[in-house]
Each structure stands twice: as C-alpha cells, then as structure tokens.
Amino acid sequence: MLTQTQQVDLTLQHLKNYALAALTPKQRETVEKSADWKKFGERLAAHFPKLMYELDNVYGSNEALLPMLEQLISNAWQSYSARAKDLKKTDAAREENPDWILSNKQVGGVCYVDLFAGDLQGLKAKIPYFQELGLTYLHLMPLFKCPEGKSDGGYAVSSYREVNPALGTIDDLRDVIEALHKAGISAVVDFIFNHTSNEHEWAKECVSGNPLFDNFYYIFPDRWMPDQYDRTLREIFPDQHPGGFSQLEDGRWVWTTFNSFQWDLNYSNPWVFNAMAGEMMFLANLGVDILRMDAVAFIWKQMGTSCESLPQAHALIRAFNAVMRIAAPAVFFKSEAIVHPDEVVQYIGQDECQIGYNPLQMALLWNTLATREVNLLQQALTYRHNLPEHTAWVNYVRSHDDIGWTFADEDAAQFGIHGYDHRQFLNRFFVNRFDGSFAQGVPFQYNPATGDCRVCGTAAALAGLAQGDPFAVDRIKLLYSIAFSTGGLPLIYLGDEVGTLNDSEWENDSNKSDDSRWAHRPKFDEELYAQRHDASTNAGKIYQGLRHMIEIRQTNPRFDGGRLTTFNTNNKHIIGYLRNNALLAFGNFSEFPQTISTATLQAMPAKAKDLISGETVALNQDVVLQPYQVMWLEIA
C-alpha cells in the first residue's frame, strides 16, 4: 500500500514524463540538462503537493482530474520555458523577498486606459507623470476584448488574449508593461475568472453543443433548477438584473450572477480550471505582476447556499496560486471580495491572495466623515487590520465600484448602532438627502424590497468639493493620509489627486445610463492636471498635499510593513495609531479644533517632529488638531 507521499511522487514523475512526451530522446536529454528544466522541476516538486491537495479537495473522484493535470503541468512547462529572461529574474527575486509588496516605497494608482489616456500608447506617454506622482504600481482597469456597448465596464471578457481594439493590440499592452517595468512600476490587470462574456469562444462552443466545451457554463433546460438556486442567492444588480439567471434565445437558462451578458463558468468541470489556468499563464508571460482576482466569492455553486465564499472557492484560488508558484512565481494575486469582514480576510494568505482590497476600512473612512466619530474605524483598526505575515491590505479611498456599507452589524452593535438604520443614514447623507450633508453622491442599485442601496461618487464629490465646502480639500487629504499610513499598499483612483468631480454626462450615454457607477469614472481633466502645481487652486492643494505625503512615506522606513497598533486618543473625533513603534499618527475627523490631553500622551516623549508640517510638537502638554488636520509624529 503506497503512502500519500509516495502516491504524490509517482503522480509527479508521471506528469513530468508527460510534459516531455512529445520530444525525441535527444531533445528530451537536452531539455533535462537545461537550467530551465532544473528550476521548473524544483518548483514543481515544491508546489505540486499543494496543487494536488487543493484540486483533490474540489474534484476528488472526478475521473477527469488526472488527464487534466497532465495537460496542466505540460502547459505550465511550456509557459515557463517561453518566459522572458527578465521575468525569470523577477521570479527568483520575489521568491527570495515575498515582502517586496509591503515596502513603504510601494504606492499604487488605478485608471481606465481610455478615460485617462485614450489608448495604450497614450498611457505609455503618461509614464513620466506616474513617476512624478510616485507610483510604483499601476492597475489598468479591464482592457480586454469585450462586447461593444454594454460590457460592465470591461468585466465581460470576450478574449483574454486580445485587447479591446479601441485601446490597441496585445503587442501594445506588452510594450506598455515593458515601459512600466523600466520606470519601476508594476503592472496590474484584472483576472476575471468567475465569468466570461456571452461572446467568448467558449460560450459560443458550449451553446452550440461542442463536446470539448460541454458544461463550461451552467445551462439549464428550464426554470426548475434556477428557481431552486434563486431561493438562496443574493441579487447583485437588482435594478437591471433581478435574480441570478438569464434566458437564452432557444429557451434555455444560463447562470448570470452579474449581468445577462456575463455567463458564470462551471468550475465543477475540471477542464474549466485548466482553461483558465492557461489564460492566467498567458497574462503572466506578458509581464503582468499582479492579477486582481475579480469576484472571488462567487466561483463555486452549491444548492441551498448563498453560493458565496464556499470552501471550494478558496481551494480553487489556492490551486491557481500553486500554478503560478510553478510557472511564474513573480505574479501575486489581489483579492476582490466585497463580503462580510470575517469572509474578506479569509481570502488573504501567502498561499491564496497575497494582497487584498480593504473594503471595510474604505467604507468606514466615509462613515467617519459623515458621523465625525472614529469609533467604528478605531475598532476595525484594532481588531480587523493586522494580517498574516507576507500579506498586505490594499488601502483605498474609493474605487471604480460603488461604496457599500460593509461593516459587520455585530461590530456596530457594540456601540449601540443599528446596522440597517445606520446604512440608511449613510445612503441619505452621501446622496445629499440629509440636512447638513456636504456630499454630492449618486445612489446605486436601490432595492425597494430590502431598502438596500449603495453610493457612487468621486472622492471630491463625496467630500464636498462640488458644493464648494471650505473643508473639502482637507477631507480628501485626511482620507488619503489614512490609506498612506495604516500599513499595506495605498491605492489612488487617478483623478482624485487633482479633485476630479463626477462626470455630469454619464446619463446621456445609452450604454451607461442604467449604471450610476459611471458617474465616478470621469475622463482625464486636462485643466485640473494643468493646475496641479498651482497651490492657489483646489487641484494644486490636493495634488501637492498627496504628493508630499507620498514622498514622506517613500523615504521613511517607519511606514514599512503592514501592521499597526491603535492608540486611544480619548477624543471621539480623533483617530490614532502607531506604526513600527516609531510613528504616531493622528487625524481629526471634525470641522472643529480637537484636543488630545496631556494625560493621554503621558507615555510619549516630551516632543516629536510632525513629518507633515515639519514642526516640532510638544507632547508634554495638550495637543490641538485643527479641523481635518493630520499629524505624523516621529516618536523613535
């Protein structure tokens, strides 16, 4: 009887033999003596047991598992052997230093290529600006081939190997990535692996009955099975897509979590995993550094559940991670999971997604602006911020998506806050339906059955700049100061750094008018960017304020790493936290001056330098923060 280790070893040897089966004996001898085959073999031996373990947990007795593994490992070898030399060097460097992403020098930006630069060549021309701002990470929003017209902002992919023709070609993308690397900027793209466009070749072949693509998607002959599933599914876009299924022209029904033109892939078929792994390796060899793993919670379906965050979803992501460790270990994963905070953190791990969006912190930044009280934010930083070693949050103020109030009701209840009622207040506040609101947001996906709603708006629009609020600029700088200093990788939605307001024309475009998220996806504003060095303008005040903080962050190791310790300021309006026991950060979320008492600061040194103002602050007496003021104090 073979042990499990012996079984793995035999399977591994079989797969290595299979990968070289097409070669002549002489060719095989040459390959087996090569440095590439040696390195591939080392990584395969190190990570294959994990890959097999995870896939076995998902597919178990499925007879297709071994033939799928044969093709998968063969494809991984072909991919690695074709990988560029400079990318292989990066592979080795990041294996040695998995914490490269945690460096204080890391600062990210995100944009739509067409809206920010017109096309890929236009984006390449913007690289000097990205360097000026201090970016080391650039997320290019979905730029792959997609249906014309409505495509969920590019998240309905028709081909992972073709760029949207309006932006350029795949060679243009490769050229841009090479140019970003030369400028010291990592390239980030979306890996949309829960679904494809209905125009994807796999979808066309599946519908036509091609046996090679049988069960690539969830297609049902009638409504009976969809009705059973719908009983426990959450509606994601209830306005334009109630339920989780759409009817095909021939009367059949297909699973469509998000939109009728986005068909969910059926990962219960192991050949789907193999196919998506192939697309992933293709992107890795373009030079992509980080894959934003889109909609991670939805990739496994099981009757009688919400079909979100099931154990098999985690197993599949860890299996994809193992494939990358074998074929392209420089590539890291970023999770996009807008779910309960307890579930969000479960996707983040060195063997799953090394970094992940921090939606709780993002939502609570806006909550704290509205309430002027730091209670929920302080609680989140205390109990929900610190992550496992070698992993990091991606801290952001807003994204291309709506803002959902993702705090846990049980967390809010500790302060006597009723979750549902508080979300209703926040929705009203940020769409300017609450007395005294400074925000000019737009509602998104109001669900009359549940009263649920989310909010859209650029940082400037939500912070009060659209209304000419005198504190708007300082609010924007305060929010981004938290993203820059709490630990992890800060991410700027490009346009925020010059105070870009909502797009006033989105409702006039028939392809956008039913999706209010387009309100906060405005085009590059030439006039605002031209003002960025003029300190008399709002654009200049915001840009220079953020640029100053970025420079401080990138030149000071006190911002290195991802962990923090909270500091109770004993003032409900002032957030406080310590970084690396050497930096004490304060932020006043009120439009009035606020005080931290001498007694609260008694364990601190007598004085400290504020890195932002450059002034020395006495800590042996009361410290007063002006409205929305931030202090970064060196205490060691």
PDB file of all heavy atoms in Angstrom, residues 173 290-291 609:
ATOM      1  N   LEU A 173       0.014  46.295 -25.409  1.00  0.00           N
ATOM      2  CA  LEU A 173      -0.027  46.044 -23.963  1.00  0.00           C
ATOM      3  C   LEU A 173       1.327  45.534 -23.476  1.00  0.00           C
ATOM      4  O   LEU A 173       1.841  45.987 -22.448  1.00  0.00           O
ATOM      5  CB  LEU A 173      -1.124  45.036 -23.637  1.00  0.00           C
ATOM      6  CG  LEU A 173      -1.233  44.631 -22.161  1.00  0.00           C
ATOM      7  CD1 LEU A 173      -1.443  45.842 -21.264  1.00  0.00           C
ATOM      8  CD2 LEU A 173      -2.363  43.615 -21.964  1.00  0.00           C
ATOM      9  N   ILE A 290       0.757  41.608 -10.995  1.00  0.00           N
ATOM     10  CA  ILE A 290      -0.308  41.294 -10.038  1.00  0.00           C
ATOM     11  C   ILE A 290      -1.606  41.102 -10.808  1.00  0.00           C
ATOM     12  O   ILE A 290      -1.945  41.901 -11.691  1.00  0.00           O
ATOM     13  CB  ILE A 290      -0.470  42.412  -8.991  1.00  0.00           C
ATOM     14  CG1 ILE A 290       0.793  42.512  -8.126  1.00  0.00           C
ATOM     15  CG2 ILE A 290      -1.684  42.168  -8.100  1.00  0.00           C
ATOM     16  CD1 ILE A 290       0.814  43.684  -7.185  1.00  0.00           C
ATOM     17  N   LEU A 291      -2.318  40.053 -10.460  1.00  0.00           N
ATOM     18  CA  LEU A 291      -3.644  39.798 -11.028  1.00  0.00           C
ATOM     19  C   LEU A 291      -4.694  40.130  -9.982  1.00  0.00           C
ATOM     20  O   LEU A 291      -4.666  39.595  -8.871  1.00  0.00           O
ATOM     21  CB  LEU A 291      -3.775  38.331 -11.448  1.00  0.00           C
ATOM     22  CG  LEU A 291      -2.909  37.883 -12.622  1.00  0.00           C
ATOM     23  CD1 LEU A 291      -2.968  36.371 -12.776  1.00  0.00           C
ATOM     24  CD2 LEU A 291      -3.355  38.559 -13.913  1.00  0.00           C
ATOM     25  N   LYS A 609       8.682  65.356  16.137  1.00  0.00           N
ATOM     26  CA  LYS A 609       8.583  66.104  14.886  1.00  0.00           C
ATOM     27  C   LYS A 609       7.383  65.608  14.096  1.00  0.00           C
ATOM     28  O   LYS A 609       7.212  64.404  13.893  1.00  0.00           O
ATOM     29  CB  LYS A 609       9.848  65.940  14.057  1.00  0.00           C
ATOM     30  CG  LYS A 609       9.812  66.720  12.737  1.00  0.00           C
ATOM     31  CD  LYS A 609      11.070  66.519  11.917  1.00  0.00           C
ATOM     32  CE  LYS A 609      11.000  67.275  10.601  1.00  0.00           C
ATOM     33  NZ  LYS A 609      12.211  67.068   9.765  1.00  0.00           N
TER      34      LYS A 609
END
